[in-house]
Amino acid sequence: MTTGELFDEQQRIAFLHDRLDRERAALQADLDAALKDGHEQRWHREVAVRTLSEQVSRLNSAGENLCFGRIDRAGERVYVGRVGLFDTDNDYEPLLTDWRAPAARPFYTATAANPEGVTLRRHFRTRGRRLEGFHDDELQLTSKALLDALDAPRSRTMRDIVATIQAEQDEVIRLPHRGVLVIEGGPGTGKTAVALHRVAYLLYTQRERLSRQGVLVVGPNTGFLRYIGDVLPSLGETDVVFATPGELFPGVRTDREDTPALQALKGGLGAVDLLVAAIADRQELPAEPLAVELEDVTVALTAELAERARRRARAAGLRHNEARPVFHRALVDVLVAPALDLIGEDWPELAADVRRELTGHPDVLRAVDELWPLLTPQALLADLYAGRCHALGHPELHRADPTAWTVSDVPLLDEAAELLGSDGTAERRAAEERRRAVEYAQGVLHVIDSDAAMYEDDLRAVDLVHAEWLADRHTAVDHRVLAERAAADREWTYGHIVVDEAQELSEMDWRLLSRRGPNRSMTVVGDLAQRQSEAGVRDWGAALGPLVGDRWQYRRLTVNYRTPAEIMAYAAGALAELDPDAVPPTSVRHGEPPLEVVATDPESFRPATGTFAVITPTGPLTPRAAKGLEFDVVVVVDPERMTPAERYVALTRATRRLVVVRTW
């Protein structure tokens, strides 16, 4: 690296930053103008504001480490960075190539054995807008840029890896498969980072489709989501919803865990049959005849009559709540004949009068509520856990607080919502909002007409403007960003779904996710050797086959970029307990061997700099809570009190130093 080369590259990077600033300023000016424009049609304005906001956000995210590399090939020089920049005055000549573009791919994939025409690959080291240095590698598999990044102290959040993506990872990121992609890899193989960068790549190549539907990222716990939460925004992508399995049903947020036995019961497909039975159990028959006091006679609604009505409602093939009107009509139908018998008359006009009286009769409406109640998913499950579980043969489901939701309850709530159908709440709320809007519009028109009357104006506002139209014009537009709207809507369907630590998901979890992504476009990340849930995945084909058939592909990452070889060798014992034939990933780094001590203070090993964690069998940081996370120094307390899977997870979180403490 010569002084002249460093100066030239610094000038180039300064030029790119200047170009970025000018593009950002121009877009911001356009956005400000769009926000102020009151003449444009509202939907045009909304589209313009959204598009410009996304473009400004994308350029804002690119400010740090804007350009991180260069490749020379076939007389062409390509600078690679976070976003693409073009010379608008020179036939849109590329000035900076987006890392996701095909032209940038050789930066990640070229090797000495297959250089792909690359004669030079240069890695820039920047701080802010200043170029501090660069180095040219010889197209080896593991570059100096990667090792420098791996040796750097960890931060509290995951960093993007756009500057150091390896060929093995790049192949997975750019895979064109449109179905389910399973990425499996042992600890430290970068599978989470690969999945997130794959999302960024898909958003780049399928922007129109995914920007309308968004992306759902499911992680094992909130700590993990906080850890990865900056990666996609740093790449300019914000149309993403992050959630744990306990947050996938709107209105419910939980991290409570059931016992392993209950996880297995609630997570298996048998839970669907249990919910069907629980709903059928709420479609009741009266223990004693219910009296319906008509104007002339009192009719007894017996169990036999109610059973006839129930059979008709069930035969309609509708979901429970949607079948309530059918049951109501059927009750009226079965009560007409007994009422006419008691009256002692039977002629068409009388039958019609009796039917009308029964239809709106309070006793009949109460009978419908009692025998075919309107149910919410929460009410159904709470009733089941409060006591009905005994009659259905599952007393182990009983609990003192029936609404103390667990993570395993979430897919059951979602399944119940599918089986029950709408309870009408959303429809009633929308109708009420509409009624108020029309009422307000009518008031506005009345005021206008009153003013016109003062001047003896024959032309009234209501002659020109209808209240319904005025209400439509003033209906509030939902200004929430896509991620907010999607997270609040149970029926939202996403363009793509990422599932991390997917080996922990139950069969019921997969059913829920298939409803969130009916196009079956998913990136599934996991490691079967790290499974801790009793209801989790034991075989990818068995888990995914019922949902997608053979429309899934499998890729395995084999290189460990996080865990030094000495720590990985120590953890291999726990892996062998799980699967004697399993092969741990190959570490690219070496470090100090793990330190074993007895009965000492874990905090005494806290480093002066970097991240630090103490993982214990029972908390506050357990192996389950540590899933997917990494720290410079990790202290594992009493690993023998952990299961082999928990021990394997705990022992592979360290990037620099591992200390094993035994308290006995």
Side-chain angles (χ1 to χ4, degrees):
M1 178 175 64
T2 66
T3 303
E5 284 183 305
L6 183 62
F7 176 79
D8 289 343
E9 297 291 25
Q10 173 61 60
Q11 292 296 104
R12 177 70 182 190
I13 288 177
F15 165 74
L16 292 173
H17 275 283
D18 179 66
R19 173 68 63 151
L20 177 74
D21 290 343
R22 282 190 283 151
E23 283 198 22
R24 185 164 47 198
L27 286 169
Q28 186 64 54
D30 290 343
L31 175 59
D32 293 342
L35 288 170
K36 294 176 182 177
D37 188 357
H39 300 289
E40 186 68 75
Q41 288 187 17
R42 186 170 63 183
W43 73 271
H44 278 144
R45 181 171 172 270
E46 293 285 336
V47 170
V49 167
R50 174 179 171 79
T51 301
L52 291 167
S53 296
E54 290 176 348
Q55 292 173 341
V56 170
S57 176
R58 180 176 63 88
L59 295 185
N60 284 337
S61 69
E64 290 295 319
N65 201 16
L66 171 63
C67 176
F68 49 77
R70 162 189 152 189
I71 52 175
D72 295 355
R73 59 191 305 227
E76 178 187 26
R77 180 173 296 178
V78 177
Y79 284 87
V80 181
R82 293 177 173 275
V83 296
L85 297 175
F86 301 90
D87 187 349
T88 55
D89 299 325
N90 187 21
D91 200 24
Y92 280 84
E93 184 74 20
L95 302 173
L96 181 66
T97 299
D98 192 297
W99 66 274
R100 294 163 288 194
R105 183 168 187 173
F107 181 77
Y108 301 110
T109 58
T111 64
N114 181 25
E116 302 185 41
V118 174
T119 58
L120 178 144
R121 178 164 61 197
R122 177 165 290 176
H123 301 267
F124 297 127
R125 188 174 70 258
T126 59
R127 182 183 297 274
R129 300 188 170 205
R130 178 178 177 76
L131 176 63
E132 295 190 332
F134 65 80
H135 76 271
D136 300 334
D137 66 47
E138 298 178 359
L139 307 184
Q140 66 265 37
L141 177 64
T142 305
S143 70
K144 182 178 183 300
L146 173 64
L147 293 177
D148 287 346
L150 296 178
D151 288 335
R154 263 37 183 187
S155 61
R156 294 190 176 276
T157 57
M158 178 182 280
R159 297 169 292 199
D160 65 64
I161 58 170
V162 289
T164 58
I165 293 170
Q166 300 300 290
E168 177 190 54
Q169 299 170 324
D170 186 81
E171 188 269 335
V172 177
I173 290 170
R174 298 175 193 262
L175 197 69
H177 181 63
R178 293 180 67 90
V180 175
L181 172 64
V182 176
I183 306 174
E184 185 161 25
T189 53
K191 52 188 180 293
T192 297
V194 167
L196 294 175
H197 286 70
R198 175 169 169 76
V199 169
Y201 175 75
L202 292 175
L203 285 165
Y204 176 80
T205 57
Q206 303 174 30
R207 174 73 61 185
E208 183 177 353
R209 178 176 69 87
L210 294 183
S211 64
R212 292 194 307 267
Q213 297 178 278
V215 173
L216 172 65
V217 176
V218 181
N221 53 62
T222 54
F224 174 82
L225 294 181
R226 283 194 298 270
Y227 178 62
I228 69 170
D230 290 342
V231 174
L232 286 170
S234 75
L235 298 172
E237 307 300 349
T238 57
D239 291 336
V240 181
V241 174
F242 293 89
T244 68
E247 298 171 338
L248 290 174
F249 188 84
V252 172
R253 297 176 67 89
T254 180
D255 58 3
R256 290 191 182 97
E257 295 283 353
D258 278 312
T259 63
L262 282 179
Q263 287 180 5
L265 173 62
K266 294 180 180 180
L269 293 181
V272 177
D273 296 330
L274 176 60
L275 291 173
V276 170
I279 293 172
D281 192 50
R282 296 303 307 274
Q283 298 166 358
E284 301 185 53
L285 301 176
E288 298 291 337
L290 301 177
V292 179
E293 297 185 5
L294 300 179
E295 184 177 346
D296 298 319
V297 295
T298 298
V299 184
L301 175 57
T302 64
E304 180 185 359
L305 292 174
E307 170 60 17
R308 286 166 53 191
R310 184 171 71 174
R311 282 200 304 269
R312 192 184 307 175
R314 287 176 173 176
L318 300 173
R319 296 184 291 183
H320 173 85
N321 288 335
E322 295 159 359
R324 261 173 60 94
V326 180
F327 180 71
H328 183 193
R329 290 193 298 271
L331 273 187
V332 171
D333 289 344
V334 300
L335 288 171
V336 169
L340 293 175
D341 288 343
L342 289 171
I343 295 171
E345 300 283 350
D346 186 3
W347 34 279
E349 291 80 2
L350 179 60
D353 288 342
V354 169
R355 185 181 301 278
R356 279 193 295 271
E357 186 178 0
L358 285 168
T359 298
H361 199 285
D363 291 342
V364 175
L365 297 178
R366 278 192 292 271
V368 173
D369 288 338
E370 179 180 334
L371 304 179
W372 200 287
L374 190 66
L375 293 173
T376 65
Q378 291 91 331
L380 177 71
L381 259 66
D383 192 47
L384 176 67
Y385 297 155
R388 286 181 183 259
C389 54
H390 294 279
L392 295 175
H394 287 285
E396 67 273 29
L397 290 174
H398 177 77
R399 63 188 183 209
D401 183 353
T403 60
W405 307 119
T406 66
V407 175
S408 301
D409 288 328
V410 169
L412 270 63
L413 289 166
D414 198 71
E415 191 77 33
E418 290 293 308
L419 295 170
L420 291 171
S422 172
D423 64 357
T425 300
E427 292 84 352
R428 289 192 297 273
R429 184 183 300 117
E432 176 61 18
E433 290 176 356
R434 173 70 178 174
R435 184 192 65 77
R436 291 179 180 176
V438 171
E439 189 176 88
Y440 174 78
Q442 289 172 334
V444 170
L445 294 176
H446 177 72
V447 171
I448 295 173
D449 284 339
S450 298
D451 291 343
M454 293 174 59
Y455 300 97
E456 299 180 350
D457 192 342
D458 292 333
L459 187 63
R460 299 185 305 156
V462 292
D463 295 326
L464 299 175
V465 181
H466 194 277
E468 296 278 348
W469 180 88
L470 188 60
D472 287 337
R473 293 288 295 171
H474 289 275
T475 298
V477 176
D478 191 342
H479 290 286
R480 293 175 299 172
V481 299
L482 180 143
E484 293 174 328
R485 288 182 283 123
D489 186 353
R490 193 194 73 84
E491 296 184 346
W492 189 279
T493 57
Y494 293 90
H496 191 75
I497 296 177
V498 176
V499 188
D500 209 316
E501 301 295 344
Q503 73 277 355
E504 305 299 339
L505 298 193
S506 69
E507 292 174 303
M508 294 299 291
D509 288 320
W510 289 112
R511 284 176 64 89
L512 182 156
L513 289 175
S514 70
R515 288 189 285 270
R516 300 295 189 273
N519 65 353
R520 305 299 193 266
S521 178
M522 297 185 187
T523 300
V524 173
V525 181
D527 180 10
L528 296 182
Q530 298 185 57
R531 178 184 59 82
Q532 297 180 31
S533 172
E534 198 59 36
V537 177
R538 288 168 169 78
D539 177 88
W540 295 117
L544 297 173
L547 302 177
V548 298
D550 61 355
R551 193 168 156 255
W552 65 283
Q553 289 189 14
Y554 177 88
R555 291 292 187 275
R556 184 170 188 87
L557 301 177
T558 60
V559 180
N560 188 330
Y561 301 101
R562 175 179 69 214
T563 316
E566 292 76 8
I567 295 177
M568 201 64 220
Y570 187 88
L575 178 61
E577 290 185 59
L578 294 166
D579 181 359
D581 298 324
V583 178
T586 302
S587 298
V588 300
R589 300 162 58 236
H590 286 274
E592 60 181 276
L595 174 65
E596 294 185 334
V597 295
V598 176
T600 188
D601 176 17
E603 289 290 330
S604 64
F605 296 97
R606 181 181 291 274
T609 60
T611 56
F612 172 73
V614 178
I615 304 177
T616 62
T618 57
L621 184 60
T622 63
R624 181 179 293 274
K627 272 183 171 294
L629 305 181
E630 62 181 22
F631 308 90
D632 291 298
V633 177
V634 173
V635 176
V636 179
V637 178
D638 292 339
E640 287 75 13
R641 291 170 49 204
M642 304 174 184
T643 67
E646 291 173 336
R647 189 156 60 250
Y648 185 51
V649 170
L651 295 175
T652 55
R653 300 303 97 192
T655 65
R656 288 185 166 185
R657 190 182 192 203
L658 172 66
V659 180
V660 177
V661 173
R662 294 182 174 84
T663 59
W664 42 268

